[in-house]
Amino acid sequence: MTASETAAVLDALEAAGGPDCARFVGGCVRNAVLGREIADVDIATTLTPDQVTRALEAARIKAVPTGVEHGTVTAVSNHKPFEVTTLRRDVETDGRRAVVAFTTDWMEDACRRDFTLNSLYARRDGSIFDPTGHGVADAKAGRIVFMGDAEQRLREDHLRSLRFFRFLAWYGRGEPDVTALAAITRLKEQVAKLAAERISSEILKLLAADDPRAAVALMAQTGVLAVIAPEAQDLARFEGLVEIESEQLFENDAVLRLAALLPDDQLAAGKLAERLRLSNADRDRIVAALSPTPELKSWMSPREIRRAVYRLGPQAFRDRAKLAWARAASTATTPQWRGMIALGEGWTAPAFPLTGDDVIKAGAPKGPLVGRVLREVEDWWIDHDFIDDRLSAIEKLKAVVQGLAY
């Protein structure tokens, strides 16, 4: 917030609108108050989008009209983006999108925001404008409280139900706000009207928190989880995975945590991923993680582990091992699971030494039979623990080909 590129944006705005025409707002202020890392710096201003654009261009700062209908211009200063948004008030909302009017009233702008800890503004000198008078206290105490009437905020934007749980997971402490939970429960069905991309984005952000277990449990209790993902019912395995990641110092893995909530049903998982418009990579990973075979056990031998890594691939093996570990719910087997994953991560699967050309040279006719022979010899090669002897593999190939009945 004090970086030179940030100062350049504020200098440009103040040159056009005078002192205090622009303030830091939202997450950067909240995180500064809490001493947490700041990812993005957002700025609120009394200037209109046209005035913001002219002010930035006059200072030779790139201005990108990313959302001018809602008052947002992105300033790109020294290759870093800053969202600059004109103060606004809602004119009309339908729970998915809003029609806004611009204003110069900081309080009016604050009243349309979601939570008190996100409705904080800071001037360049570090002084804070706290519209409710308790936003800073709420942030420090971990209270996620809606601005004004909770039900009204939720009707303005149905996504705020999911945002409540996300901020609870990241910033919440103590007992959750009962008024907020009651309003969310009453309006839970409205969440289904949201665009799938907005839902999945919030869910993955929530699941990436250090410990989202309490938030997800509340989502289930209020019925919100059943609305957006009725398949997500395995809270025990999900909670076990979060505990493992925390205690074993694994990275927080939002995609695998989502998989942990689902049944071992690849078809159902694929349909959920499609419905939530997850990326192809995330969809494929979740489906692979929920394959019922081969079944992984903590007592598998190194040879069996290598075979599983080869069959599944490193990512799917690691995911399957963590999910099986999470379901086991026993600390007694922790060393075995940890060792299994370490062995899988430390072993690089060799390339199968034969090709289709080798099969044909051995005397097999071209066609589907070539693939069948290759699979049979590959199975033998795997059973022999990936024997590093091409000549032995060729001899086996010849034996298989000679035994074929054309």
Side-chain angles (χ1 to χ4, degrees):
M1 294 167 76
T2 59
S4 59
E5 53 267 23
T6 311
V9 173
L10 293 176
D11 288 343
L13 298 174
E14 290 179 352
D20 204 31
C21 76
R23 299 175 183 174
F24 299 112
V25 67
C28 62
V29 182
R30 176 198 65 230
N31 282 17
V33 166
L34 296 175
R36 295 199 186 189
E37 182 180 355
I38 295 172
D40 302 306
V41 175
D42 294 335
I43 298 169
T45 180
T46 55
L47 299 176
T48 65
D50 287 343
Q51 291 173 322
V52 169
T53 299
R54 289 195 295 270
L56 294 173
E57 291 177 344
R60 298 185 178 180
I61 296 173
K62 184 178 180 180
V64 183
T66 46
V68 289
E69 69 277 7
H70 291 101
T72 300
V73 175
T74 298
V76 183
S77 176
N78 192 26
H79 308 291
K80 295 185 179 180
F82 299 83
E83 283 196 358
V84 182
T85 303
T86 303
L87 303 186
R88 54 198 176 171
R89 58 183 174 82
D90 288 337
V91 175
E92 181 182 339
T93 61
D94 63 2
R96 298 181 63 186
R97 58 187 67 84
V99 177
V100 301
F102 302 136
T103 180
T104 57
D105 188 331
W106 294 94
M107 180 63 78
E108 199 169 26
D109 182 77
C111 287
R112 68 174 300 279
R113 295 182 178 272
D114 51 11
F115 309 112
T116 56
L117 80 169
N118 290 338
S119 303
L120 301 173
Y121 304 77
R123 302 176 182 85
R124 298 184 74 168
D125 63 5
S127 59
I128 292 177
F129 171 53
D130 184 351
T132 65
H134 54 80
V136 171
D138 287 344
K140 291 182 176 180
R143 292 189 293 264
I144 314 302
V145 182
F146 280 103
M147 284 289 290
D149 183 71
E151 189 161 322
Q152 182 180 346
R153 295 287 83 78
L154 291 168
R155 291 189 182 279
E156 290 167 352
D157 187 351
H158 305 320
L159 190 68
R160 285 172 175 163
S161 288
L162 299 184
R163 285 175 62 82
F164 175 85
F165 295 113
R166 195 237 295 185
F167 281 97
L168 193 65
W170 281 88
Y171 298 97
R173 297 198 309 278
E175 292 298 316
D177 184 65
V178 293
T179 302
L181 289 176
I184 288 170
T185 302
R186 287 194 298 272
L187 299 177
K188 62 180 181 293
E189 299 296 338
Q190 303 300 317
V191 177
K193 299 178 181 179
L194 293 166
E197 293 86 352
R198 297 185 76 195
I199 293 175
S200 59
S201 176
E202 282 298 320
I203 290 299
L204 291 176
K205 288 176 183 176
L206 185 163
L207 293 178
D210 284 343
D211 190 352
R213 288 176 289 185
V216 171
L218 281 173
M219 285 182 69
Q221 291 173 24
T222 57
V224 172
L225 187 60
V227 171
I228 60 175
E231 304 88 344
Q233 298 179 355
D234 201 340
L235 293 186
R237 180 166 66 178
F238 162 73
E239 291 171 356
L241 176 62
V242 174
E243 184 172 355
I244 287 168
E245 289 177 334
S246 174
E247 293 184 354
Q248 301 301 318
L249 302 181
F250 291 123
E251 290 185 2
N252 302 340
D253 193 329
V255 174
L256 187 59
R257 287 175 174 182
L258 177 57
L261 283 165
L262 306 178
D264 291 330
D265 182 336
Q266 291 181 296
L267 181 60
K271 289 181 177 178
L272 172 69
E274 294 288 350
R275 194 170 68 247
L276 292 181
R277 303 285 179 86
L278 297 180
S279 69
N280 290 342
D282 286 347
R283 177 202 62 205
D284 293 346
R285 183 183 172 198
I286 289 173
V287 169
L290 296 174
S291 171
T293 57
E295 186 177 5
L296 302 187
K297 301 290 187 180
S298 64
W299 59 81
M300 291 171 67
S301 69
R303 180 175 176 176
E304 290 173 319
I305 292 170
R306 288 191 288 270
R307 183 182 303 178
V309 172
Y310 183 80
R311 293 295 193 191
L312 296 170
Q315 179 73 74
F317 172 81
R318 183 167 55 251
D319 289 345
R320 291 279 312 282
K322 286 182 180 178
L323 291 183
W325 183 0
R327 176 160 283 167
S330 171
T331 58
T333 57
T334 290
Q336 291 98 312
W337 289 114
R338 182 86 199 198
M340 172 192 286
I341 292 172
L343 193 154
E345 290 177 337
W347 181 70
T348 301
F352 181 50
L354 302 182
T355 67
D357 287 341
D358 293 318
V359 178
I360 294 171
K361 288 177 182 177
K366 293 182 180 180
L369 203 58
V370 171
R372 197 182 99 193
V373 170
L374 269 181
R375 286 191 294 274
E376 184 172 341
V377 179
E378 185 180 25
D379 287 342
W380 168 87
W381 177 69
I382 294 170
D383 285 341
H384 285 72
D385 204 18
F386 311 96
I387 183 171
D388 186 18
D389 184 350
R390 176 174 161 80
L391 290 178
S392 294
I394 291 176
E395 289 303 313
K396 177 62 178 179
L397 169 62
K398 290 177 181 179
V400 171
V401 172
Q402 287 172 4
L404 291 174
Y406 299 115

